[in-house]
């Protein structure tokens, strides 16, 4: 059932990033992604089983991309 709710949540995030409190929303979501990145870094430094490492690397890359998309969403809205 979680995947059914995902699109709705993404639309909510998009609305927040386009609304009057977009800077606060950006800061809040960016802080979540930073925390995720820090947890990933800590797990990788602590040592992961070899089969987990590729998934952790992919998640790290997705996290970086998500942070970039957040910034682009704000810029695109500002330019419109």
């Amino acid at each position: 059932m979680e995947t059914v709710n995902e699109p709705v949540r993404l639309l909510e995030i998009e609305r927040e990033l386009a609304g009057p409190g977009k800077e606060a929303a950006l800061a809040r979501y960016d802080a979540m992604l930073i925390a995720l990145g820090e947890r990933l870094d800590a797990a990788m430094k602590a040592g992961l089983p070899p089969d987990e490492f590729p998934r952790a690397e992919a998640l790290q890359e997705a996290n970086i991309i998500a942070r970039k998309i957040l910034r682009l969403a704000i810029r695109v809205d500002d330019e419109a």
Side-chain angles (χ1 to χ4, degrees), residues 46-57:
L48 293 173
D51 61 324
E52 294 289 327
F53 201 79
R55 289 192 292 186
E57 283 183 322

Side-chain angles (χ1 to χ4, degrees), residues 18-58:
K22 62 185 172 187
E23 290 83 11
L26 172 67
R28 189 173 60 254
Y29 290 116
D30 197 40
M32 285 186 229
L33 292 169
I34 288 170
L36 174 61
E38 289 170 352
R39 289 194 315 264
L40 280 167
D41 288 341
M44 292 176 87
K45 286 179 186 174
L48 293 173
D51 61 324
E52 294 289 327
F53 201 79
R55 289 192 292 186
E57 283 183 322

Side-chain angles (χ1 to χ4, degrees), residues 10-25:
L10 289 174
L11 288 173
E12 291 171 13
I13 292 170
E14 186 178 355
R15 285 186 194 116
E16 285 183 71
L17 293 172
K22 62 185 172 187
E23 290 83 11

Side-chain angles (χ1 to χ4, degrees), residues 1-14:
M1 281 298 201
E2 289 179 23
T3 55
V4 173
N5 294 329
E6 295 280 332
V8 173
R9 182 65 183 138
L10 289 174
L11 288 173
E12 291 171 13
I13 292 170
E14 186 178 355

